[in-house]
Amino acid sequence: MEYETKILTTKYQKPDAYGSLSMPVYYTAAFEFPSAKAMSDAFCGRSMAPSYARIANPTVTYLEERVRQLTGAVSVTALNTGMAAIHYALTAVSAAGLNIVASKHLFGNSVSLIRDTLGSLGIEARFADFTHPEEVETLIDDRTAALFFEIITNPQLFVADIRALSSLARAKGVPLIADTTIVPFSAFRAKDLGVDIEVVSSTKYISGGGTGLGGLLVDYGTFDWSQHPSPVLQARAKRVGKKMAFTARVKTELVTNLGALMTPQVAYMETLGLDTLDLRFRRQAETTLWLARQCQQLEGIQRVNYTGLEDNPFHALSEAQFGPLPGAVFTIDLSSKEAAFAFIDRLQVIRRATNLFDRKSLAIHPASTIFGLFTDEQRQAMGVADTTVRLSIGLEAPEDLLADISSSL
């Protein structure tokens, strides 16, 4: 089936008693079993029945199955936030004494997770410019647990060559983990570009309206975990197979012990969001490209940054990987931080808010918010300028958004 059909035809795990066309919301903490053996089988993983809502819930499982079928993954885990998905992915591959080689242009909290939180547990953080694979290669050794990067960085909008990074990761025997939030899986297939593990903030495109927080951890089953430096994953590989060790650790250890499974209400809303994901994305991305081109003509804007623009230095690579519509966010640079603040304060249609890919258009000053607790030197090294305004484009009429930007300048 084509994507548009497949997204609407995923069957429920069990037929609904009333024939509901929407997956019901199973708002319950526990589930009744017909026998002691059935209860034991559920708790020990010998059946697919949910044992306890902290570990599995039918509404959440249905969202996971829909995403699994859409992406071609071997497993999907739905969690409470995108940060939880990153946390689970990196924790699953890590152990004290190992290192993670990560992009130095990551989202602010991803940096502090790797550098501070995981660093305090004895996991070394090594940061490199992932637009230069040769720089990444110099940091990899036999204790490297993973390569981690964003396919298009936020807010710098740098684009890494995913196939080149995949080839490097394969040669070094290291899993490639990518945050693909900025371009939805309806528009490109991470697996085809060589990504082993994909993390997505489903709060963004999938939710579509900022209705709930969520994250997805997608395992493509393409890495041989028996060769990984983590003794935990090596042991799991012996028990469940070399391709399924990561999923086994996530599902039977991290979900159970860390307790960040997505809530059924959010899973229901994101299941509805999947129905219109591709339609919304294409409308938003088409508006983004049109607006970015119009903004290049506006007096007062020093620079427009969007990889869909032909004069962008990453345009050719971006188009080869993601097609002509690489996401629904672009940035503009004004003359100063003060000018950026004044511009944001005058906006009438575009909302002053964080988040990305809401139905409403949003504006934020990244340097003073998302990266506000970093030093000037750290922001400069990460490519986050005081003059930059990030614009996430929604479903409003393009002409109204352009008029709002023009008047606010």
Side-chain angles (χ1 to χ4, degrees):
M1 294 181 183
E2 296 297 326
Y3 178 91
E4 296 87 347
T5 307
K6 188 183 295 185
I7 205 168
L8 294 169
T9 54
T10 304
K11 295 184 182 301
Y12 305 152
Q13 300 91 280
K14 292 184 177 181
D16 178 64
Y18 298 95
S20 172
L21 286 176
S22 293
M23 181 65 172
V25 182
Y26 286 88
Y27 238 124
T28 181
F31 305 89
E32 186 177 6
F33 296 92
S35 67
K37 183 180 185 307
M39 186 182 294
S40 175
D41 288 344
F43 272 81
C44 296
R46 293 187 293 269
S47 78
M48 296 302 293
S51 57
Y52 187 59
R54 176 168 53 83
I55 301 167
N57 175 283
T59 312
V60 178
T61 300
Y62 179 61
L63 173 65
E64 293 172 340
E65 178 59 18
R66 291 189 82 184
V67 174
R68 190 190 70 78
Q69 292 199 21
L70 291 170
T71 58
V74 298
S75 79
V76 175
T77 305
L79 300 164
N80 274 336
T81 64
M83 281 305 305
I86 296 171
H87 179 203
Y88 276 45
L90 298 181
T91 299
V93 301
S94 295
L98 301 186
N99 63 77
I100 294 170
V101 178
S103 169
K104 69 178 184 180
H105 300 118
L106 293 175
F107 172 72
N109 287 115
S110 297
V111 172
S112 58
L113 169 68
I114 298 169
R115 183 191 62 199
D116 303 330
T117 307
L118 297 181
S120 69
L121 302 176
I123 301 158
E124 182 187 356
R126 299 178 178 180
F127 292 102
D129 184 345
F130 270 55
T131 63
H132 296 286
E134 67 278 6
E135 181 179 326
V136 177
E137 184 175 8
T138 63
L139 299 181
I140 301 172
D141 59 26
D142 60 1
R143 304 299 290 166
T144 298
L147 305 184
F148 178 66
F149 72 110
E150 297 170 3
I151 57 169
I152 302 179
T153 64
N154 169 24
Q156 307 91 341
L157 304 184
F158 298 157
V159 182
D161 187 330
I162 302 174
R163 288 189 176 92
L165 292 171
S166 177
S167 296
L168 173 61
R170 292 284 183 275
K172 297 292 186 179
V174 177
L176 185 64
I177 304 177
D179 184 336
T180 66
T181 298
I182 205 162
V183 182
F185 44 67
S186 65
F188 91 110
R189 290 176 63 87
K191 180 181 180 181
D192 292 348
L193 295 177
V195 172
D196 296 304
I197 305 294
E198 182 177 12
V199 294
V200 180
S201 173
S202 55
T203 308
K204 311 302 191 293
Y205 287 117
I206 297 174
S207 171
T211 54
L213 298 172
L216 299 172
L217 178 51
V218 183
D219 180 6
Y220 288 107
T222 51
F223 188 78
D224 181 356
W225 298 102
S226 66
Q227 303 301 311
H228 193 271
S230 166
V232 176
L233 288 171
Q234 291 176 20
R236 295 248 178 200
K238 290 180 180 178
R239 293 201 300 272
V240 301
K242 62 184 182 180
K243 300 295 187 181
M244 295 302 294
F246 176 89
T247 282
R249 187 174 193 195
V250 169
K251 295 286 192 183
T252 64
E253 179 188 336
L254 301 186
V255 169
T256 303
N257 293 348
L258 298 181
L261 190 73
M262 183 180 285
T263 66
Q265 183 179 17
V266 169
Y268 174 77
M269 291 187 291
E270 295 197 354
T271 295
L272 297 181
L274 280 176
D275 292 348
T276 58
L277 169 62
D278 195 53
L279 290 170
R280 287 184 287 104
F281 165 70
R282 295 194 181 282
R283 165 64 187 272
Q284 289 173 267
E286 287 168 358
T287 299
T288 302
L289 178 58
W290 182 83
L291 268 179
R293 286 173 173 161
Q294 298 303 312
C295 284
Q296 288 182 308
Q297 312 304 317
L298 295 180
E299 185 177 352
I301 294 179
Q302 309 294 313
R303 175 174 179 256
V304 179
N305 186 14
Y306 181 59
T307 65
L309 296 171
E310 290 78 3
D311 60 354
N312 187 282
F314 293 105
H315 175 71
L317 178 59
S318 175
E319 187 168 46
Q321 295 182 152
F322 315 120
L325 299 173
V329 63
F330 73 102
T331 65
I332 59 174
D333 279 274
L334 304 182
S335 59
S336 64
K337 177 180 178 180
E338 292 73 23
F341 271 44
F343 168 79
I344 292 172
D345 287 347
R346 294 190 189 104
L347 292 169
Q348 299 296 315
V349 177
I350 300 172
R351 313 298 180 93
R352 288 172 287 277
T354 189
N355 201 14
L356 290 169
F357 318 129
D358 196 315
R359 295 184 185 94
K360 305 175 184 68
S361 294
L362 311 173
I364 195 170
H365 183 255
S368 65
T369 54
I370 301 166
F371 297 88
L373 297 180
F374 290 80
T375 66
D376 290 341
E377 291 75 16
Q378 288 172 327
R379 285 194 292 270
Q380 184 176 1
M382 297 166 76
V384 179
D386 275 342
T387 55
T388 299
V389 176
R390 188 188 76 186
L391 298 169
S392 171
I393 303 306
L395 294 173
E396 301 92 346
E399 295 80 4
D400 291 333
L401 294 174
L402 178 61
D404 194 31
I405 292 171
S406 300
S407 63
S408 298
L409 286 168

